[in-house]
Amino acid sequence: HAHMLAHSSAGPQLANVLWAYATMGHLDPGLMDAIAGSLNSSKLQEMSSQDLANALWALAWAGVYDPELVAAASEQVCRCVSS
């Protein structure tokens, strides 16, 4: 179910799921890994800067580190700042 949710949901919804789980203190590594793996550049572009910050905070809280996601998020931050 985690992979289905991760791949069928839009970026902002995924950011909200990550934030909600982290805020509740509920660690679900399978879900968080699946969402992190699905956050490609198109899903990141759908996110507001707040969505992106919330998603990255939640993943950091959960100890999920994906170098490709961090690189893509950095590119998105640069696009947000320059627009």
Side-chain angles (χ1 to χ4, degrees):
H1 295 305
H3 289 284
M4 187 184 329
L5 170 74
H7 292 287
S8 66
S9 298
Q13 285 83 17
L14 295 173
N16 286 336
V17 169
L18 289 170
W19 179 84
Y21 272 65
T23 300
M24 290 186 306
H26 182 76
L27 185 58
D28 185 335
L31 177 65
M32 293 193 170
D33 285 338
I35 291 175
S38 77
L39 290 177
N40 54 35
S41 61
S42 64
K43 286 190 180 187
L44 292 176
Q45 288 177 13
E46 298 170 349
M47 292 184 180
S48 69
S49 56
Q50 186 66 57
D51 293 331
L52 184 58
N54 288 347
L56 293 174
W57 171 80
L59 292 170
W61 173 85
V64 175
Y65 178 72
D66 181 333
E68 291 178 17
L69 173 58
V70 171
S74 295
E75 290 177 21
Q76 180 61 20
V77 167
C78 290
R79 279 193 288 275
C80 288
V81 170
S82 66
S83 60

